[in-house]
Every structure is written in C-alpha cells, then in structure tokens.
Amino acid sequence: MTRGHKAVTIYPENAVIMAPLSGYTDLPFRRSLRRHGCVYAFTPLVEAGSIVYDNPRAPSIVARGDDEKWLGIQLLGSDLARIKTAVRKISHLRFDVLDFNMGCPVRKVTRRGAGAALGHTPEFAAECVQAIADLSPFPVTGKIRVLDHEDPAPTVRFARLLESAGCQALTIHGRLWRKVYSGPVAVDVINAVREAVTIPVIANGGVTDALSAAALRRATGCSRIMLARGAIGNPWLFDTINGGKPPGHEELCAELVNHIRDMVAFHGEENGIKVGRKIIVAYLAGRGYSRDLRGEVTGLHSWAMFSAWMARVRATGPSVGFQRRS
C-alpha cells in the first residue's frame, strides 16, 4: 500500500462475494442469499447524487439488517465534489467496505463519465479513489472491467494506479465495456493483474454454477471470486459452489415464499409484490415450469394473489420435470 493507507484483510482466501446489483441486492435479496451460505454481500450500487440530495429511495438502498454480519456499500459517480460529499454523508453508517464502481456498462451511467467510462480516464479514476480513501472510515476497494481483451498492459496500469491511490482490493469483470455481459471472460488479463499488484484481486464474470466457479478460479489464479446475475433466482449458487446440492421443487417454493414475504415486509405490500415480480420469474426460469405459470406473474398485485398463485405452483409443479440448476 502507498500514501500511508493501512492495509487490512477484507476477504479471506476462497471468499465468494455477491456483487452489488442495482434493483436486486436489497435487504430481502441478501437475506435469501445468506440462508444459503453467502457471507460477503453489498447493497445495490448507489449514485453519489442520490446521497448528496437525499433521494427518498436512498435509505432503503443503504439499509443494513441487524442480522447482517458483513455488508459493503458501492458508490457510483464521476463528479469529484459530489463523491466527496457522499462519502462524508455515509460515514456515520455501518459498513465493512466502501467499493467504488468503475465497471457499470449501462449507457445512462457511462454517458456521464461514470462506471466503466472511468476506465478510459484512469488518472481521474485514481483521483476519485484517492479522495474516497482519504475521507472514508471504511476500507476502500474498487470494481473495474478489463480495458483490452488480449493485451493486459492497459488493465495492469489501471490497477496499479488504483492500488497506489489507496484501493485495498480490486474486483475485475473480465469483459470489455462494450460487451456488457456477453462473450468470454478475459481470464489471462485478470491473471496478469493479479500477478502485478500486491492487493487481493477478485475475479468476476460468467459464474453460473460450481463448475464455472472452479474454472474461473483455476484460469485466473484468483481464489476469491464474485458472483452476480447467476445468483438472481438462485441463492443456492453459494451452496453448490461450496459442495452443496441444488434445490428440489418443494425447497424452491419455500425459499421463494420467504423471499417475497421479506420483500413485502421491507417495501410494503403493493411495492414489494411489484418489485418482486422479476424475482419470482427468475426463480422459475430454466427449471421446467410452464410458460403459463410464468406469464401469470405480471398480474400479481397483492400478497393474497401471490399466495393463491403460489398454491398453484406447488400443486402443479414443473411441466417437464424439475430442472436442477447447479
């Protein structure tokens, strides 16, 4: 570490970390994951301006449950003054790490120079990390994307800049900004970065089951990995990576009910069901449930409607035999 930042161990070897996902990793989502072995998880990413200007949604985004032993927050932004103010405003909250997002590929983010766009202004990105590290009471980490799929040099240079600025761990999504979430993961680039820096490197990209998790670890040399979209509707992904079994029909139904019950308690009935529809569909996707059952989800508006629909799911079961997503 440089600039006097004290190094701390944020993630142990072999840690499996849940990525911050906008619109997903709220408290109910994380509680579902934690029932299946997740220890390291993040709030949804939060834009610095939402904190600075007291967006009414911000408190629910950064909410931490009393039962959560470990929680990180991920900050998004490209306005340095606004980033500094946001860090000051969250400094009284309880987090185990503050991660700076430099990897989000969504156009409404990158057109403002934030997220993955920061990879193309590496010196400014490092300036942001340095400012956050100087102000944050929490250890500071970063999440980036590879900058070239074949040549490790630009990503290695970027990683070294961030390390010098005070970044204490670095997650690398192994796809280019323009590829979003498609295509192969640049495992050689992640491996080169791991060898070039002294801070822990977390490999991210393409983990959907135990086999892909093992392959990512093997190819990158990173024992620490981050899961993302593969865990949506599949909290058992943590179990299976650690040698457990995927769920059967009854176990899936029970977890889905618990998840949506938590969402209703957290968001209120109407909004909890509304926000929960995409979660419900994700639990059923790829597991053999009929298109008709999945199509009915868009018409759910209350807990009573969800409960009645859930009774049909339990009674009907998968139409082609339950598919165990591992």
Side-chain angles (χ1 to χ4, degrees):
M1 297 297 297
T2 59
R3 304 188 65 258
H5 297 290
K6 183 180 178 181
V8 297
T9 300
I10 296 173
Y11 309 112
E13 293 286 344
N14 301 310
V16 181
I17 305 150
M18 182 64 208
L21 295 179
S22 180
Y24 285 98
T25 52
D26 58 9
L27 180 56
F29 189 99
R30 298 193 304 270
R31 280 181 169 153
S32 176
L33 297 182
R34 295 192 193 282
R35 286 191 284 269
H36 297 284
C38 175
V39 175
Y40 303 99
F42 281 83
T43 69
L45 68 86
V46 58
E47 209 276 324
S50 293
I51 295 173
V52 172
Y53 299 113
D54 298 317
N55 186 306
R57 292 182 61 245
S60 67
I61 293 174
V62 302
R64 178 174 187 160
D66 293 337
D67 54 335
E68 294 192 279
K69 295 180 180 179
W70 197 102
L71 183 65
I73 183 172
Q74 189 184 67
L75 194 64
L76 175 75
S78 58
D79 182 303
L80 189 54
R82 194 177 292 174
I83 289 169
K84 290 179 179 179
T85 301
V87 174
R88 293 188 185 100
K89 289 193 73 169
I90 64 172
S91 63
H92 70 286
L93 300 175
R94 189 167 60 96
F95 293 108
D96 295 276
V97 69
L98 192 166
D99 192 76
F100 186 50
N101 183 299
M102 296 169 279
C104 179
V106 177
R107 178 166 171 74
K108 68 178 181 179
V109 169
T110 57
R111 70 185 179 191
R112 301 197 306 268
L118 285 165
H120 295 268
T121 55
E123 284 78 12
F124 176 65
E127 184 181 356
C128 292
V129 168
Q130 177 179 318
I132 295 169
D134 287 343
L135 292 169
S136 174
F138 323 115
V140 174
T141 62
K143 188 169 189 289
I144 67 173
R145 283 176 172 257
V146 297
L147 299 180
D148 189 292
H149 201 274
E150 304 297 333
D151 181 9
T155 313
V156 166
R157 177 178 179 274
F158 188 27
R160 284 174 169 164
L161 282 172
L162 298 177
E163 179 180 29
S164 295
C167 189
Q168 297 193 41
L170 188 64
T171 300
I172 306 178
H173 185 115
R175 297 185 179 101
L176 298 171
W177 166 12
R178 68 174 183 272
K179 291 292 187 180
V180 191
Y181 303 112
S182 65
V185 174
V187 292
D188 291 342
V189 176
I190 297 175
N191 187 44
V193 173
R194 180 187 59 79
E195 293 179 340
V197 298
T198 62
I199 57 176
V201 171
I202 299 97
N204 173 225
V207 176
T208 58
D209 53 28
L211 288 176
S212 54
L216 184 65
R217 281 172 161 157
R218 184 170 56 251
T220 63
C222 298
S223 77
R224 304 166 180 92
I225 58 172
M226 181 173 280
L227 314 185
R229 295 174 305 135
I232 298 174
N234 191 24
W236 299 273
L237 183 55
F238 287 86
D239 285 333
T240 57
I241 287 173
N242 291 318
K245 295 181 179 180
H249 169 63
E250 289 300 329
E251 186 182 352
L252 181 136
C253 290
E255 182 56 50
L256 177 52
V257 169
N258 286 334
H259 193 154
I260 301 304
R261 182 185 288 116
D262 284 348
M263 294 194 75
V264 168
F266 186 70
H267 295 289
E269 181 174 6
E270 182 179 358
N271 199 39
I273 296 296
K274 180 180 179 181
V275 175
R277 290 175 195 152
K278 62 186 178 184
I279 298 292
I280 298 168
V281 170
Y283 271 83
L284 269 58
R287 289 188 164 111
Y289 293 93
S290 73
R291 182 178 298 178
D292 289 344
L293 275 177
R294 287 181 280 127
E296 291 171 8
V297 174
T298 58
L300 302 180
H301 299 284
S302 68
W303 177 257
M305 294 179 72
F306 168 72
S307 297
W309 174 85
M310 199 70 231
R312 293 197 300 277
V313 173
R314 276 196 160 107
T316 304
S319 58
V320 294
F322 190 81
Q323 307 297 308
R324 290 180 178 268
R325 284 162 52 188
S326 59

